[in-house]
Coordinates of all heavy atoms in Angstrom, one line a residue:
I362 N 106.1 131.7 134.3 CA 104.8 132.2 134.5 C 104.1 132.3 133.1 O 104.7 132.7 132.2 CB 104.7 133.5 135.2 CG1 105.9 134.4 134.8 CG2 104.6 133.4 136.7 CD1 105.8 135.8 135.3
D363 N 102.8 132.0 133.1 CA 102.0 132.3 131.9 C 101.0 133.3 132.2 O 100.2 133.2 133.1 CB 101.3 131.0 131.6 CG 102.2 130.0 130.8 OD1 102.7 130.4 129.8 OD2 102.4 128.9 131.4
V364 N 101.1 134.4 131.5 CA 100.2 135.5 131.7 C 99.6 136.0 130.4 O 100.1 135.7 129.3 CB 100.9 136.7 132.3 CG1 101.5 136.4 133.7 CG2 102.0 137.3 131.4
T365 N 98.5 136.7 130.6 CA 97.9 137.3 129.3 C 98.6 138.7 129.1 O 98.7 139.5 130.0 CB 96.4 137.5 129.4 OG1 96.0 138.5 128.4 CG2 95.9 138.0 130.8
P366 N 99.1 138.9 127.9 CA 99.7 140.2 127.6 C 98.7 141.3 127.3 O 99.1 142.4 127.1 CB 100.6 139.9 126.4 CG 100.0 138.7 125.8 CD 99.2 137.9 126.8
Y367 N 97.5 140.9 127.2 CA 96.4 141.9 126.9 C 95.3 141.9 127.9 O 95.1 140.9 128.6 CB 95.8 141.5 125.5 CG 96.8 141.3 124.4 CD1 97.1 140.1 124.0 CD2 97.5 142.4 123.9 CE1 98.1 139.9 123.0 CE2 98.5 142.2 122.9 CZ 98.7 141.0 122.5 OH 99.7 140.8 121.5
T368 N 94.6 143.0 127.9 CA 93.4 143.1 128.7 C 92.2 142.8 127.9 O 92.1 143.3 126.7 CB 93.3 144.6 129.3 OG1 94.4 144.8 130.1 CG2 92.0 144.7 130.1
F369 N 91.3 142.0 128.4 CA 90.0 141.7 127.7 C 88.9 142.2 128.5 O 88.8 142.1 129.7 CB 89.9 140.2 127.6 CG 91.0 139.6 126.7 CD1 92.1 139.1 127.3 CD2 90.9 139.5 125.3 CE1 93.1 138.5 126.5 CE2 91.9 139.0 124.5 CZ 93.0 138.5 125.1
G370 N 87.9 142.8 127.8 CA 86.8 143.4 128.5 C 85.6 143.6 127.6 O 85.6 143.1 126.5
T371 N 84.7 144.4 128.1 CA 83.5 144.7 127.3 C 83.2 146.2 127.4 O 84.0 147.0 127.9 CB 82.3 143.9 127.9 OG1 81.2 144.0 127.0 CG2 81.9 144.3 129.3
S372 N 82.1 146.6 126.8 CA 81.8 148.0 126.7 C 80.4 148.2 127.4 O 79.5 147.3 127.3 CB 81.8 148.4 125.2 OG 80.7 149.1 124.9
A373 N 80.3 149.3 128.1 CA 79.0 149.6 128.8 C 78.8 151.1 128.9 O 79.7 151.9 128.7 CB 79.0 149.0 130.2
V374 N 77.6 151.4 129.3 CA 77.3 152.9 129.6 C 78.1 153.3 130.8 O 78.1 152.5 131.8 CB 75.8 153.0 129.8 CG1 75.5 154.5 130.2 CG2 75.1 152.7 128.5
G375 N 78.7 154.4 130.8 CA 79.4 154.9 132.0 C 80.0 156.3 131.8 O 79.4 157.1 131.0
E376 N 81.1 156.6 132.4 CA 81.7 157.9 132.3 C 83.1 157.8 132.0 O 83.8 156.9 132.5 CB 81.6 158.6 133.7 CG 80.3 159.3 133.9 CD 80.3 160.2 135.2 OE1 81.4 160.3 135.8 OE2 79.2 160.7 135.5
I377 N 83.6 158.6 131.1 CA 85.1 158.7 130.9 C 85.5 160.2 131.2 O 84.9 161.1 130.6 CB 85.5 158.3 129.4 CG1 85.0 156.9 129.2 CG2 87.0 158.5 129.2 CD1 85.3 156.4 127.7
N378 N 86.4 160.4 132.0 CA 86.8 161.7 132.5 C 85.6 162.6 132.8 O 85.5 163.8 132.4 CB 87.6 162.4 131.4 CG 88.9 161.6 131.1 OD1 89.4 161.0 132.0 ND2 89.3 161.7 129.8
G379 N 84.6 162.0 133.5 CA 83.5 162.8 134.0 C 82.4 163.0 132.9 O 81.3 163.5 133.2
Q380 N 82.7 162.5 131.7 CA 81.7 162.7 130.6 C 80.9 161.4 130.4 O 81.5 160.3 130.3 CB 82.4 163.0 129.3 CG 83.2 164.3 129.2 CD 82.2 165.5 129.5 OE1 81.2 165.6 128.8 NE2 82.6 166.4 130.4
P381 N 79.6 161.5 130.3 CA 78.8 160.2 130.1 C 79.2 159.6 128.7 O 79.4 160.4 127.7 CB 77.4 160.7 130.1 CG 77.4 162.2 130.0 CD 78.7 162.6 130.4
T382 N 79.2 158.3 128.6 CA 79.5 157.7 127.3 C 78.7 156.3 127.3 O 78.4 155.8 128.3 CB 81.0 157.4 127.1 OG1 81.2 156.6 126.0 CG2 81.6 156.7 128.3
E383 N 78.5 155.9 126.0 CA 77.8 154.6 125.8 C 78.9 153.5 125.7 O 78.5 152.3 125.6 CB 77.0 154.6 124.5 CG 76.1 155.8 124.4 CD 74.8 155.5 125.1 OE1 74.5 154.3 125.2 OE2 74.1 156.5 125.4
T384 N 80.2 153.9 125.6 CA 81.1 152.9 125.2 C 82.3 152.8 126.2 O 83.5 152.7 125.8 CB 81.7 153.2 123.8 OG1 82.1 154.6 123.8 CG2 80.6 153.0 122.7
K385 N 82.0 152.9 127.4 CA 83.1 152.8 128.4 C 83.7 151.4 128.4 O 82.9 150.4 128.5 CB 82.6 153.2 129.8 CG 83.7 153.2 130.9 CD 83.0 153.5 132.2 CE 83.9 153.2 133.4 NZ 85.1 154.1 133.5
F386 N 85.0 151.3 128.3 CA 85.6 150.0 128.3 C 85.7 149.5 129.8 O 86.2 150.1 130.7 CB 87.0 150.1 127.7 CG 87.8 148.7 127.7 CD1 87.2 147.6 127.0 CD2 89.0 148.6 128.3 CE1 87.8 146.4 127.0 CE2 89.7 147.3 128.3 CZ 89.1 146.3 127.6
I387 N 85.1 148.3 130.0 CA 85.1 147.7 131.3 C 86.0 146.4 131.2 O 85.6 145.4 130.7 CB 83.7 147.2 131.7 CG1 82.7 148.3 131.5 CG2 83.7 146.7 133.2 CD1 82.7 149.4 132.5
P388 N 87.2 146.5 131.8 CA 88.1 145.4 131.7 C 87.6 144.2 132.6 O 87.2 144.5 133.7 CB 89.4 145.9 132.3 CG 89.3 147.3 132.5 CD 87.8 147.6 132.5
L389 N 87.7 143.0 132.1 CA 87.3 141.8 132.9 C 88.6 141.1 133.3 O 89.0 140.9 134.5 CB 86.3 140.9 132.3 CG 84.9 141.3 132.6 CD1 84.3 142.3 131.7 CD2 84.0 140.0 132.6
I390 N 89.4 140.7 132.3 CA 90.6 140.0 132.6 C 91.8 141.0 132.2 O 91.9 141.4 131.1 CB 90.8 138.7 131.8 CG1 89.7 137.7 132.3 CG2 92.2 138.1 132.0 CD1 89.7 136.4 131.6
R391 N 92.5 141.4 133.2 CA 93.5 142.4 133.0 C 94.8 141.9 132.5 O 95.2 140.7 132.8 CB 93.9 143.1 134.4 CG 92.7 143.7 135.1 CD 92.6 145.1 134.5 NE 91.9 146.0 135.5 CZ 91.9 147.3 135.4 NH1 92.6 147.9 134.5 NH2 91.3 148.0 136.3
R392 N 95.5 142.7 131.8 CA 96.9 142.4 131.3 C 97.7 141.9 132.5 O 97.6 142.3 133.6 CB 97.5 143.7 130.8 CG 98.8 143.6 130.2 CD 99.0 144.9 129.3 NE 98.7 146.1 130.1 CZ 99.6 146.9 130.7 NH1 100.9 146.6 130.6 NH2 99.3 148.0 131.3
N393 N 98.6 140.9 132.2 CA 99.5 140.4 133.2 C 98.8 139.5 134.2 O 99.4 139.1 135.2 CB 100.3 141.4 133.9 CG 101.4 142.0 133.1 OD1 101.8 141.3 132.1 ND2 101.8 143.2 133.3
T394 N 97.6 139.1 134.0 CA 96.9 138.2 134.9 C 97.4 136.8 134.6 O 97.6 136.4 133.4 CB 95.4 138.2 134.7 OG1 95.0 139.5 134.9 CG2 94.7 137.3 135.7
K395 N 97.7 136.0 135.7 CA 98.2 134.7 135.5 C 97.1 133.8 134.9 O 95.9 134.0 135.2 CB 98.6 134.1 136.9 CG 99.2 132.8 136.8 CD 99.9 132.5 138.2 CE 100.5 131.2 138.2 NZ 99.7 130.1 138.6
L396 N 97.5 132.9 134.0 CA 96.5 132.1 133.3 C 96.5 130.7 133.9 O 97.6 130.2 134.4 CB 96.9 132.0 131.8 CG 96.7 133.3 131.1 CD1 97.1 133.1 129.6 CD2 95.3 133.8 131.2
P397 N 95.4 129.9 133.9 CA 94.1 130.3 133.4 C 93.5 131.4 134.3 O 93.7 131.4 135.5 CB 93.3 129.0 133.4 CG 94.0 128.2 134.5 CD 95.4 128.5 134.5
A398 N 92.6 132.2 133.7 CA 92.0 133.3 134.5 C 90.5 133.3 134.2 O 90.1 133.0 133.0 CB 92.6 134.6 134.1
R399 N 89.7 133.5 135.2 CA 88.3 133.6 135.0 C 87.8 134.8 135.8 O 88.2 135.1 136.9 CB 87.6 132.3 135.6 CG 86.1 132.4 135.8 CD 85.6 131.2 136.3 NE 85.6 130.2 135.3 CZ 84.9 129.1 135.4 NH1 84.3 128.8 136.5 NH2 84.9 128.2 134.4
K400 N 86.9 135.5 135.1 CA 86.3 136.7 135.8 C 84.9 137.0 135.4 O 84.6 136.8 134.2 CB 87.2 137.9 135.4 CG 87.0 139.2 136.2 CD 87.5 139.2 137.6 CE 86.9 140.3 138.4 NZ 87.2 141.6 137.9
S401 N 84.1 137.4 136.3 CA 82.7 137.8 136.0 C 82.4 139.2 136.4 O 83.0 139.6 137.4 CB 81.7 136.8 136.7 OG 81.9 135.5 136.3
E402 N 81.5 139.8 135.7 CA 81.1 141.1 136.1 C 79.5 141.2 135.9 O 79.0 140.5 135.1 CB 81.7 142.2 135.2 CG 83.0 142.8 135.7 CD 82.9 143.4 137.1 OE1 81.9 143.8 137.6 OE2 84.0 143.4 137.7
V403 N 78.9 142.0 136.7 CA 77.5 142.1 136.5 C 77.1 143.4 135.9 O 77.7 144.5 136.2 CB 76.7 141.9 137.9 CG1 76.9 143.0 138.8 CG2 75.3 141.6 137.7
F404 N 76.2 143.4 134.9 CA 75.7 144.6 134.3 C 74.2 144.6 134.4 O 73.6 143.6 134.8 CB 76.1 144.5 132.8 CG 77.6 144.5 132.6 CD1 78.3 143.3 132.6 CD2 78.3 145.7 132.4 CE1 79.6 143.3 132.4 CE2 79.7 145.7 132.3 CZ 80.3 144.5 132.3
E405 N 73.6 145.8 134.1 CA 72.1 145.8 134.3 C 71.5 146.3 133.0 O 72.1 147.1 132.2 CB 71.8 146.9 135.4 CG 72.2 146.3 136.7 CD 71.9 147.3 137.9 OE1 71.6 148.5 137.5 OE2 72.0 146.9 139.0
T406 N 70.2 145.8 132.8 CA 69.5 146.3 131.7 C 69.2 147.8 131.9 O 69.0 148.3 133.0 CB 68.2 145.5 131.4 OG1 67.5 145.5 132.6 CG2 68.5 144.1 131.0
M407 N 69.0 148.5 130.8 CA 68.8 150.0 130.9 C 67.4 150.4 131.1 O 67.1 151.4 131.7 CB 69.3 150.7 129.6 CG 70.8 150.5 129.3 SD 71.8 151.7 130.1 CE 71.1 153.2 129.5
Y408 N 66.4 149.6 130.5 CA 65.1 150.1 130.5 C 64.1 148.9 130.6 O 64.5 147.7 130.4 CB 64.7 150.9 129.3 CG 65.2 150.4 128.0 CD1 64.4 149.5 127.3 CD2 66.4 150.7 127.5 CE1 64.8 149.0 126.1 CE2 66.9 150.2 126.3 CZ 66.0 149.3 125.6 OH 66.5 148.8 124.4
D409 N 62.9 149.1 131.0 CA 61.9 148.1 131.2 C 61.6 147.3 129.8 O 61.7 147.9 128.8 CB 60.5 148.7 131.6 CG 60.6 149.1 133.1 OD1 61.6 148.7 133.8 OD2 59.8 149.9 133.5
N410 N 61.4 146.0 130.0 CA 61.1 145.2 128.8 C 62.2 145.3 127.7 O 61.9 145.1 126.5 CB 59.8 145.5 128.2 CG 58.7 145.4 129.2 OD1 58.7 144.5 130.1 ND2 57.7 146.3 129.2
Q411 N 63.4 145.5 128.1 CA 64.5 145.6 127.1 C 64.6 144.2 126.4 O 64.6 143.2 127.0 CB 65.8 145.9 127.8 CG 66.9 146.1 126.8 CD 68.2 146.7 127.6 OE1 68.0 147.4 128.6 NE2 69.3 146.5 127.0
K412 N 64.6 144.2 125.1 CA 64.5 143.0 124.3 C 65.9 142.3 124.2 O 66.0 141.1 123.9 CB 64.0 143.3 122.9 CG 62.6 143.8 122.9 CD 61.6 142.6 122.9 CE 60.2 142.9 122.7 NZ 59.6 143.8 123.8
A413 N 67.0 143.1 124.2 CA 68.3 142.5 123.9 C 69.4 143.4 124.5 O 69.2 144.6 124.7 CB 68.5 142.4 122.4
V414 N 70.5 142.8 124.7 CA 71.7 143.6 124.9 C 72.8 143.2 123.9 O 72.8 142.0 123.4 CB 72.3 143.4 126.3 CG1 71.5 144.1 127.4 CG2 72.6 142.0 126.6
N415 N 73.6 144.1 123.6 CA 74.7 143.9 122.7 C 76.0 143.6 123.5 O 76.5 144.5 124.1 CB 74.9 145.1 121.8 CG 75.7 144.9 120.6 OD1 75.6 143.8 120.0 ND2 76.4 145.9 120.2

Side-chain angles (χ1 to χ4, degrees):
I362 37 171
D363 280 298
V364 296
T365 160
Y367 307 107
T368 297
F369 296 93
T371 189
S372 133
V374 174
E376 276 187 7
I377 301 176
N378 298 330
Q380 296 298 314
T382 171
E383 308 277 335
T384 55
K385 182 179 166 68
F386 180 55
I387 312 286
L389 269 87
I390 296 180
R391 299 275 205 163
R392 183 161 52 97
N393 285 335
T394 305
K395 187 165 179 269
L396 296 177
R399 166 179 287 190
K400 187 77 195 297
S401 302
E402 269 304 334
V403 70
F404 298 87
E405 290 181 349
T406 51
M407 298 273 304
Y408 47 87
D409 289 342
N410 304 322
Q411 188 169 331
K412 293 274 186 297
V414 285
N415 194 33

